[in-house]
């Protein structure tokens, strides 16, 4: 017959074997957490969005048509493939870009990824412009950029770094390093 001491040693030895076996079946590599996406998901997403942006009095500021519009908890808006028009009473400009962003707490829209601008010269001829980024400034009712801009139209080719124009299309100002080619044929 075995003594109490032998039973106790056998029990301890059995527990150690179980613990050792459990450790062998566990992954021997370092414990690492899987990557977690810390970006919050949007509160809501609208596919094939049509949006009318208004001022505080409810008057129309501009219209946006987009593949997708996502609104986040902090009221930030991300817009995929926006087309913006309806700027001002004249509806002088049509803007298209791969992306639009409205920061939380802002009313201005930042268009980016290559912005195409369509409008008219004062004589009614078509105007096309392209820049990498463009701000739709709601407070001052301006379109502005500090990026290089190329503007073309019949017999006209303008290049500059930076542009400011009012929503009505009455004033277009090229800011720096301006080059103009004009052929009045």
């Amino acid at each position: 017959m075995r003594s109490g001491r032998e039973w106790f040693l056998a029990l301890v030895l059995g527990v150690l074997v179980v613990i050792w076996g459990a450790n062998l079946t566990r992954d021997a590599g370092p414990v690492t957490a899987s990557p977690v996406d810390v970006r919050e998901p949007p509160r809501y997403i609208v596919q094939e969005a049509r949006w009318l942006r208004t001022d505080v009095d409810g008057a129309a500021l501009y219209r946006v048509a987009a593949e997708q519009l996502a609104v986040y908890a902090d009221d930030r808006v991300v817009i995929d493939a926006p087309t913006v028009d309806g700027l001002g009473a004249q509806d002088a400009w049509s803007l298209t870009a791969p992306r639009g962003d409205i920061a939380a707490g802002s009313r201005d829209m930042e268009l980016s990824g290559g912005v195409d601008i369509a409008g008219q010269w004062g004589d009614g001829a078509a105007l096309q412009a392209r820049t990498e980024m463009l701000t739709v400034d709601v407070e001052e009712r301006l379109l502005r950029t500090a990026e290089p801009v190329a503007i073309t139209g019949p017999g006209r080719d303008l290049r500059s770094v930076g542009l400011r124009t009012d929503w009505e299309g009455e004033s277009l100002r090229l800011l720096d390093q301006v080059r103009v080619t004009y052929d009045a044929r």
Side-chain angles (χ1 to χ4, degrees), residues 141-157:
R141 293 183 173 268
L142 293 173
L143 303 177
R144 60 182 163 77
T145 185
E147 300 290 321
V149 180
I151 304 171
T152 59
R156 302 166 183 138
D157 184 33

PDB file of all heavy atoms in Angstrom, residues 141-157:
ATOM      1  N   ARG A 141     -17.966  82.377 -51.211  1.00  0.00           N
ATOM      2  CA  ARG A 141     -18.528  82.005 -52.507  1.00  0.00           C
ATOM      3  C   ARG A 141     -17.466  82.057 -53.608  1.00  0.00           C
ATOM      4  O   ARG A 141     -17.636  82.701 -54.642  1.00  0.00           O
ATOM      5  CB  ARG A 141     -19.725  82.870 -52.863  1.00  0.00           C
ATOM      6  CG  ARG A 141     -20.900  82.625 -51.933  1.00  0.00           C
ATOM      7  CD  ARG A 141     -22.106  83.439 -52.356  1.00  0.00           C
ATOM      8  NE  ARG A 141     -23.269  83.096 -51.593  1.00  0.00           N
ATOM      9  CZ  ARG A 141     -24.166  82.172 -51.934  1.00  0.00           C
ATOM     10  NH1 ARG A 141     -24.017  81.486 -53.031  1.00  0.00           N
ATOM     11  NH2 ARG A 141     -25.201  81.929 -51.168  1.00  0.00           N
ATOM     12  N   LEU A 142     -16.377  81.339 -53.328  1.00  0.00           N
ATOM     13  CA  LEU A 142     -15.239  81.268 -54.248  1.00  0.00           C
ATOM     14  C   LEU A 142     -14.879  79.825 -54.543  1.00  0.00           C
ATOM     15  O   LEU A 142     -15.116  78.933 -53.732  1.00  0.00           O
ATOM     16  CB  LEU A 142     -14.000  81.920 -53.625  1.00  0.00           C
ATOM     17  CG  LEU A 142     -13.993  83.411 -53.369  1.00  0.00           C
ATOM     18  CD1 LEU A 142     -12.741  83.802 -52.598  1.00  0.00           C
ATOM     19  CD2 LEU A 142     -14.055  84.165 -54.694  1.00  0.00           C
ATOM     20  N   LEU A 143     -14.250  79.638 -55.684  1.00  0.00           N
ATOM     21  CA  LEU A 143     -13.505  78.419 -55.981  1.00  0.00           C
ATOM     22  C   LEU A 143     -12.054  78.844 -55.910  1.00  0.00           C
ATOM     23  O   LEU A 143     -11.676  79.858 -56.508  1.00  0.00           O
ATOM     24  CB  LEU A 143     -13.835  77.897 -57.375  1.00  0.00           C
ATOM     25  CG  LEU A 143     -15.305  77.593 -57.659  1.00  0.00           C
ATOM     26  CD1 LEU A 143     -15.470  77.153 -59.109  1.00  0.00           C
ATOM     27  CD2 LEU A 143     -15.839  76.553 -56.707  1.00  0.00           C
ATOM     28  N   ARG A 144     -11.230  78.065 -55.176  1.00  0.00           N
ATOM     29  CA  ARG A 144      -9.830  78.483 -55.044  1.00  0.00           C
ATOM     30  C   ARG A 144      -8.911  77.277 -54.945  1.00  0.00           C
ATOM     31  O   ARG A 144      -9.312  76.213 -54.469  1.00  0.00           O
ATOM     32  CB  ARG A 144      -9.652  79.398 -53.846  1.00  0.00           C
ATOM     33  CG  ARG A 144     -10.022  78.811 -52.528  1.00  0.00           C
ATOM     34  CD  ARG A 144      -9.844  79.822 -51.386  1.00  0.00           C
ATOM     35  NE  ARG A 144     -10.545  79.415 -50.197  1.00  0.00           N
ATOM     36  CZ  ARG A 144     -10.145  78.484 -49.347  1.00  0.00           C
ATOM     37  NH1 ARG A 144      -9.018  77.860 -49.547  1.00  0.00           N
ATOM     38  NH2 ARG A 144     -10.874  78.168 -48.294  1.00  0.00           N
ATOM     39  N   THR A 145      -7.683  77.494 -55.407  1.00  0.00           N
ATOM     40  CA  THR A 145      -6.641  76.493 -55.281  1.00  0.00           C
ATOM     41  C   THR A 145      -5.286  77.182 -55.273  1.00  0.00           C
ATOM     42  O   THR A 145      -5.133  78.260 -55.846  1.00  0.00           O
ATOM     43  CB  THR A 145      -6.689  75.443 -56.414  1.00  0.00           C
ATOM     44  OG1 THR A 145      -5.705  74.427 -56.154  1.00  0.00           O
ATOM     45  CG2 THR A 145      -6.408  76.054 -57.778  1.00  0.00           C
ATOM     46  N   ALA A 146      -4.319  76.558 -54.633  1.00  0.00           N
ATOM     47  CA  ALA A 146      -2.933  77.022 -54.668  1.00  0.00           C
ATOM     48  C   ALA A 146      -2.099  76.094 -55.541  1.00  0.00           C
ATOM     49  O   ALA A 146      -0.887  76.252 -55.649  1.00  0.00           O
ATOM     50  CB  ALA A 146      -2.368  77.087 -53.247  1.00  0.00           C
ATOM     51  N   GLU A 147      -2.737  75.118 -56.154  1.00  0.00           N
ATOM     52  CA  GLU A 147      -2.073  74.126 -57.017  1.00  0.00           C
ATOM     53  C   GLU A 147      -1.925  74.664 -58.449  1.00  0.00           C
ATOM     54  O   GLU A 147      -2.628  75.595 -58.838  1.00  0.00           O
ATOM     55  CB  GLU A 147      -2.908  72.840 -57.056  1.00  0.00           C
ATOM     56  CG  GLU A 147      -3.105  72.177 -55.717  1.00  0.00           C
ATOM     57  CD  GLU A 147      -1.835  71.564 -55.188  1.00  0.00           C
ATOM     58  OE1 GLU A 147      -1.060  70.989 -55.985  1.00  0.00           O
ATOM     59  OE2 GLU A 147      -1.600  71.661 -53.975  1.00  0.00           O
ATOM     60  N   PRO A 148      -1.064  74.030 -59.260  1.00  0.00           N
ATOM     61  CA  PRO A 148      -0.995  74.397 -60.676  1.00  0.00           C
ATOM     62  C   PRO A 148      -2.350  74.184 -61.364  1.00  0.00           C
ATOM     63  O   PRO A 148      -3.075  73.243 -61.049  1.00  0.00           O
ATOM     64  CB  PRO A 148       0.056  73.429 -61.239  1.00  0.00           C
ATOM     65  CG  PRO A 148       0.917  73.087 -60.052  1.00  0.00           C
ATOM     66  CD  PRO A 148      -0.032  73.052 -58.892  1.00  0.00           C
ATOM     67  N   VAL A 149      -2.654  75.093 -62.295  1.00  0.00           N
ATOM     68  CA  VAL A 149      -3.929  75.070 -63.014  1.00  0.00           C
ATOM     69  C   VAL A 149      -3.648  75.214 -64.504  1.00  0.00           C
ATOM     70  O   VAL A 149      -2.819  76.025 -64.907  1.00  0.00           O
ATOM     71  CB  VAL A 149      -4.835  76.247 -62.570  1.00  0.00           C
ATOM     72  CG1 VAL A 149      -6.159  76.224 -63.312  1.00  0.00           C
ATOM     73  CG2 VAL A 149      -5.065  76.236 -61.079  1.00  0.00           C
ATOM     74  N   ALA A 150      -4.361  74.427 -65.306  1.00  0.00           N
ATOM     75  CA  ALA A 150      -4.316  74.569 -66.768  1.00  0.00           C
ATOM     76  C   ALA A 150      -5.727  74.892 -67.233  1.00  0.00           C
ATOM     77  O   ALA A 150      -6.676  74.171 -66.914  1.00  0.00           O
ATOM     78  CB  ALA A 150      -3.842  73.271 -67.409  1.00  0.00           C
ATOM     79  N   ILE A 151      -5.867  76.016 -67.981  1.00  0.00           N
ATOM     80  CA  ILE A 151      -7.175  76.456 -68.470  1.00  0.00           C
ATOM     81  C   ILE A 151      -7.092  76.554 -69.989  1.00  0.00           C
ATOM     82  O   ILE A 151      -6.172  77.173 -70.521  1.00  0.00           O
ATOM     83  CB  ILE A 151      -7.561  77.829 -67.883  1.00  0.00           C
ATOM     84  CG1 ILE A 151      -7.528  77.787 -66.362  1.00  0.00           C
ATOM     85  CG2 ILE A 151      -8.931  78.257 -68.394  1.00  0.00           C
ATOM     86  CD1 ILE A 151      -7.674  79.142 -65.703  1.00  0.00           C
ATOM     87  N   THR A 152      -8.054  75.937 -70.661  1.00  0.00           N
ATOM     88  CA  THR A 152      -8.046  75.959 -72.119  1.00  0.00           C
ATOM     89  C   THR A 152      -9.430  76.330 -72.638  1.00  0.00           C
ATOM     90  O   THR A 152     -10.429  76.203 -71.942  1.00  0.00           O
ATOM     91  CB  THR A 152      -7.648  74.590 -72.708  1.00  0.00           C
ATOM     92  OG1 THR A 152      -8.575  73.608 -72.247  1.00  0.00           O
ATOM     93  CG2 THR A 152      -6.230  74.210 -72.318  1.00  0.00           C
ATOM     94  N   GLY A 153      -9.453  76.778 -73.866  1.00  0.00           N
ATOM     95  CA  GLY A 153     -10.672  77.109 -74.585  1.00  0.00           C
ATOM     96  C   GLY A 153     -10.282  77.427 -76.005  1.00  0.00           C
ATOM     97  O   GLY A 153      -9.088  77.448 -76.335  1.00  0.00           O
ATOM     98  N   PRO A 154     -11.233  77.696 -76.859  1.00  0.00           N
ATOM     99  CA  PRO A 154     -10.910  78.005 -78.250  1.00  0.00           C
ATOM    100  C   PRO A 154      -9.914  79.161 -78.357  1.00  0.00           C
ATOM    101  O   PRO A 154     -10.201  80.275 -77.923  1.00  0.00           O
ATOM    102  CB  PRO A 154     -12.261  78.386 -78.860  1.00  0.00           C
ATOM    103  CG  PRO A 154     -13.279  77.763 -77.954  1.00  0.00           C
ATOM    104  CD  PRO A 154     -12.663  77.753 -76.588  1.00  0.00           C
ATOM    105  N   GLY A 155      -8.728  78.873 -78.878  1.00  0.00           N
ATOM    106  CA  GLY A 155      -7.694  79.888 -79.068  1.00  0.00           C
ATOM    107  C   GLY A 155      -7.033  80.361 -77.788  1.00  0.00           C
ATOM    108  O   GLY A 155      -6.318  81.358 -77.797  1.00  0.00           O
ATOM    109  N   ARG A 156      -7.240  79.689 -76.680  1.00  0.00           N
ATOM    110  CA  ARG A 156      -6.715  80.140 -75.385  1.00  0.00           C
ATOM    111  C   ARG A 156      -6.075  78.982 -74.634  1.00  0.00           C
ATOM    112  O   ARG A 156      -6.613  77.884 -74.586  1.00  0.00           O
ATOM    113  CB  ARG A 156      -7.834  80.714 -74.535  1.00  0.00           C
ATOM    114  CG  ARG A 156      -8.536  81.863 -75.199  1.00  0.00           C
ATOM    115  CD  ARG A 156      -9.836  82.174 -74.501  1.00  0.00           C
ATOM    116  NE  ARG A 156     -10.509  83.241 -75.215  1.00  0.00           N
ATOM    117  CZ  ARG A 156     -11.784  83.271 -75.464  1.00  0.00           C
ATOM    118  NH1 ARG A 156     -12.558  82.307 -75.058  1.00  0.00           N
ATOM    119  NH2 ARG A 156     -12.323  84.273 -76.123  1.00  0.00           N
ATOM    120  N   ASP A 157      -4.958  79.285 -74.017  1.00  0.00           N
ATOM    121  CA  ASP A 157      -4.272  78.322 -73.155  1.00  0.00           C
ATOM    122  C   ASP A 157      -3.620  79.119 -72.031  1.00  0.00           C
ATOM    123  O   ASP A 157      -2.741  79.935 -72.284  1.00  0.00           O
ATOM    124  CB  ASP A 157      -3.221  77.542 -73.951  1.00  0.00           C
ATOM    125  CG  ASP A 157      -2.543  76.471 -73.127  1.00  0.00           C
ATOM    126  OD1 ASP A 157      -3.195  75.891 -72.236  1.00  0.00           O
ATOM    127  OD2 ASP A 157      -1.342  76.208 -73.377  1.00  0.00           O
TER     128      ASP A 157
END
